[in-house]
């Protein structure tokens, strides 16, 4: 690190939410320190599907060349459409729309995707440092920095404003939010993903399987190249616990389903198997703003309940947080009262989508035949496909 002076902003976590916030604030000329406990490039457990809308937002901050380079290298795999399979095996296919400015959706393994944004944050002027945040430093009820641990040493780093972007297990959120605001099991999910190199993919098409035993949740096959895919499944945590399920067993069962098994060229060996948690944006009345701090992305809990998609929302929240933070710093007032507008902006941008997805998820678990009906008569009722197309 260059010096121990007080920064304008410390961003904790350099995933899409943190690296995007750091990029925008650095581009506004602020002095930004971006921390992550991991060296980049690094993996993050994910389905790796990135919708065109998120890509377009990245273009706006100057990442188009970096994205095109990643596509040319074969690191980002372009998508044309999706397939949804219902509990009774009905299928519906739909095409992804290009973004308003012509961007494409991709399956972009996080090893590559996150590195693009993290590198862009540095190129935009943010300083990056590998260190683990232990907790926010709170003085007189206001966050004034971050306590970190690196090389066995604890150190206090000070900033006018702290952004918690440290994902679903955020230490910043855990210390600042009251216990009653922790995510409840019905607004959380657990998921497993792996990579496979011998599956005959449906080129440029992501597949969603909503069979009865996995509702509320789904299994996926997201291609990353010829015969290669990210494969996994996720389920709402309350149902997962209630039925005492095991993710590894569920994944084996999914691989053994005829529609998958018949496409395996050498038996379907999986590698880089990993599981992780998701926190939905459908839980009401929780804070994302505090005296001296804001939460973005998974640290705030902005994942769509029905699709599990969180990257686009992470980027949206980064834009809103950067806008709020820059204005608060300009006014030299980072109080909750001055920054609570951020909560309102997030609500306006994300809530309807989260709430309607959560309601739809509850219908599906109580009435799985509804998924069959929607898929079977999908050409008339686009509700389900539009959810997956728009809410990923
Ligand atoms: C199995 C699975 C599949 C998913 N599939 C998709 C999908 O296909 N498409 C989609 O859009 N979304 C998907 N999601 C959701 C998506 O992964 C998240 O919404 C997204 O990663 C959120 O980005 P973020 O920057 O908020 O958090 P993260 O990507 O989790 O980044 C947080 C960063 O903070 C760092 N960090 C954590 N703690 C500390 C600490 N104490 N100190 C310093 N650094 C720290 C981490 O190293 C990490 O780099 C999936 C999630 C899971 C679990």
């Amino acid at each position: 690190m260059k010096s121990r002076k007080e920064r304008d902003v410390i961003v904790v976590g350099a995933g899409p939410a943190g690296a995007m916030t750091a990029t925008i604030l650095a581009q506004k000329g602020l002095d930004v320190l971006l921390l992550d406990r991991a060296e980049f490039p690094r993996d993050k457990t994910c389905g790796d599907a990135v919708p065109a809308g998120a890509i377009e937002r990245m273009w706006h901050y100057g990442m188009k060349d970096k994205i095109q380079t990643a596509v040319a290298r074969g690191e980002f795999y372009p998508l044309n459409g999706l397939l949804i399979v219902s509990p009774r095996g009905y299928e519906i296919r739909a095409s992804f729309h290009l973004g308003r400015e012509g961007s494409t959706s991709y399956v972009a393994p996080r090893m590559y995707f996150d590195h693009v944004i993290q590198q862009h944050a540095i190129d935009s002027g943010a300083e990056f440092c590998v260190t683990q945040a232990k907790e926010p430093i709170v003085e007189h009820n206001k966050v004034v920095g971050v306590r970190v641990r690196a090389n066995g040493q604890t150190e206090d780093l000070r900033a006018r404003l702290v952004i918690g972007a440290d994902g679903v297990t955020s230490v910043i959120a855990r210390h600042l939010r009251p216990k009653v605001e922790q995510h409840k099991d019905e607004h959380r999910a657990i998921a497993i993903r792996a990579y496979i190199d011998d599956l005959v993919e449906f080129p440029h098409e992501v597949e969603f399987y909503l069979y009865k035993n996995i509702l509320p949740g789904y299994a996926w096959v997201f291609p990353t190249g010829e015969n290669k895919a990210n494969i996994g499944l996720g389920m709402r945590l309350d149902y997962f616990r209630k039925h005492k399920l095991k993710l590894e067993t569920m994944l084996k069962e999914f691989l053994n389903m005829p529609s998958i098994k018949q496409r395996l060229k050498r038996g379907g060996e999986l590698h880089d198997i990993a599981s992780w948690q998701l926190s939905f944006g459908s839980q009401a009345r929780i804070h994302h703003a505090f005296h001296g701090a804001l939460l973005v992305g998974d640290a705030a809990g902005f994942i769509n309940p029905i699709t599990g998609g969180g990257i686009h929302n992470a980027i949206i929240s980064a834009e809103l947080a950067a806008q709020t933070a820059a204005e608060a710093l300009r006014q030299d007032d980072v109080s909750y009262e001055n920054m609570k507008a951020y909560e309102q902006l997030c609500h306006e941008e994300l809530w309807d989508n989260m709430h309607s997805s959560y309601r739809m998820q509850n219908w599906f678990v109580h009435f799985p035949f509804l998924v069959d009906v929607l898929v079977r008569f999908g050409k008339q009722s686009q509700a389900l496909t539009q959810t997956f197309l728009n809410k990923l």
Side-chain angles (χ1 to χ4, degrees):
M1 250 176 286
K2 270 189 290 202
S3 74
R4 303 290 173 228
K5 69 175 165 51
E6 185 189 53
R7 309 287 178 147
D8 289 325
V9 186
I10 294 177
V11 181
V12 181
M20 193 57 142
T21 314
T23 295
I24 302 170
L25 290 173
Q27 289 180 356
K28 287 178 188 287
L30 291 157
D31 178 13
V32 181
L33 177 63
L34 175 62
L35 308 177
D36 204 289
R37 62 184 173 196
E39 300 260 12
F40 279 64
R42 60 102 182 87
D43 184 27
K44 149 79 176 80
T45 307
C46 189
D48 303 330
V50 184
I55 296 292
E56 213 147 88
R57 286 175 196 269
M58 292 164 71
W59 285 4
H60 291 169
Y61 300 99
M63 289 179 226
K64 194 167 184 176
D65 286 352
K66 288 187 172 85
I67 292 169
Q68 279 170 347
T69 305
V71 177
R73 282 198 203 120
E75 294 169 351
F76 288 19
Y77 181 80
L79 294 175
N80 294 337
L82 60 74
L83 164 72
I84 301 176
V85 182
S86 77
R88 288 182 166 216
Y90 298 117
E91 295 185 356
I92 186 167
R93 288 190 142 86
S95 297
F96 279 119
H97 304 298
L98 293 181
R100 260 183 254 158
E101 295 166 32
S103 62
T104 306
S105 303
Y106 296 101
V107 181
R110 300 289 296 273
M111 185 74 87
Y112 306 123
F113 180 76
D114 290 20
H115 198 207
V116 164
I117 316 185
Q118 181 256 4
Q119 193 54 51
H120 200 68
I122 297 169
D123 293 348
S124 300
E127 185 187 351
F128 177 70
C129 176
V130 178
T131 189
Q132 171 140 14
K134 300 306 285 180
E135 59 190 355
I137 305 166
V138 182
E139 288 175 5
H140 310 294
N141 202 26
K142 179 184 164 204
V143 178
V144 294
V146 183
R147 187 152 297 134
V148 300
R149 193 157 177 84
N151 308 320
Q153 304 276 334
T154 301
E155 192 178 349
D156 284 359
L157 304 175
R158 298 183 79 87
R160 296 167 67 202
L161 180 66
V162 169
I163 306 277
D166 45 343
V168 75
T169 56
S170 169
V171 294
I172 306 297
R174 198 175 339 125
H175 279 83
L176 298 182
R177 271 189 186 144
K179 266 215 159 52
V180 291
E181 294 189 11
Q182 307 286 336
H183 272 76
K184 298 184 174 61
D185 282 0
E186 67 259 36
H187 295 284
R188 297 171 70 201
I190 179 131
I192 187 167
R193 78 93 225 259
Y195 290 100
I196 190 164
D197 296 332
D198 70 334
L199 177 111
V200 179
E201 85 286 3
F202 297 144
H204 306 287
E205 191 173 80
V206 280
E207 304 166 44
F208 298 86
Y209 293 81
L210 288 88
Y211 45 94
K212 192 163 181 284
N213 293 348
I214 204 165
L215 293 172
Y218 68 86
W220 70 80
V221 176
F222 293 171
T224 54
E226 196 181 341
N227 295 331
K228 292 184 183 167
N230 177 319
I231 186 164
L233 52 87
M235 191 184 215
R236 218 166 81 181
L237 193 57
D238 50 345
Y239 282 84
F240 181 81
R241 287 200 211 275
K242 187 171 146 195
H243 297 289
K244 298 189 171 49
L245 297 168
K246 285 205 164 62
L247 288 172
E248 291 78 6
T249 314
M250 294 166 78
L251 190 53
K252 274 191 200 138
E253 285 166 4
F254 177 53
L255 273 177
N256 274 323
M257 282 172 46
S259 51
I260 304 297
K261 198 172 179 179
Q262 67 197 10
R263 291 156 58 198
L264 301 176
K265 296 182 83 171
R266 293 184 303 277
E269 200 174 314
L270 302 176
H271 59 92
D272 294 301
I273 304 170
S275 48
W276 198 235
Q277 316 153 37
L278 300 88
S279 294
F280 302 153
S282 48
Q283 183 162 321
R285 287 182 286 282
I286 51 178
H287 285 92
H288 313 310
F290 309 86
H291 291 304
L294 299 172
L295 300 175
V296 290
D298 281 11
F302 285 143
I303 291 183
N304 182 284
I306 209 160
T307 65
I311 294 172
H312 195 176
N313 291 342
I315 291 175
I316 292 172
S317 66
E319 285 184 328
L320 301 176
Q323 177 187 327
T324 309
E327 185 56 18
L329 288 168
R330 194 187 62 76
Q331 296 168 347
D332 202 17
D333 179 1
V334 296
S335 65
Y336 171 70
E337 288 69 29
N338 199 35
M339 296 201 299
K340 67 181 180 204
Y342 170 64
E343 295 179 337
Q344 183 58 29
L345 290 170
C346 291
H347 187 84
E348 285 164 14
E349 194 77 35
L350 302 173
W351 176 253
D352 284 353
N353 190 321
M354 297 292 176
H355 187 54
S356 59
S357 297
Y358 184 69
R359 269 204 327 246
M360 192 184 265
Q361 185 185 63
N362 281 329
W363 295 336
F364 289 169
V365 71
H366 294 301
F367 313 107
F369 68 90
L370 265 180
V371 186
D372 291 307
V373 171
L374 284 173
V375 170
R376 196 169 173 199
F377 302 107
K379 286 197 177 64
Q380 285 79 30
S381 162
Q382 285 281 321
L384 184 59
T385 35
Q386 284 312 316
T387 300
F388 278 90
L389 283 170
N390 300 337
K391 299 184 179 179
L392 187 65

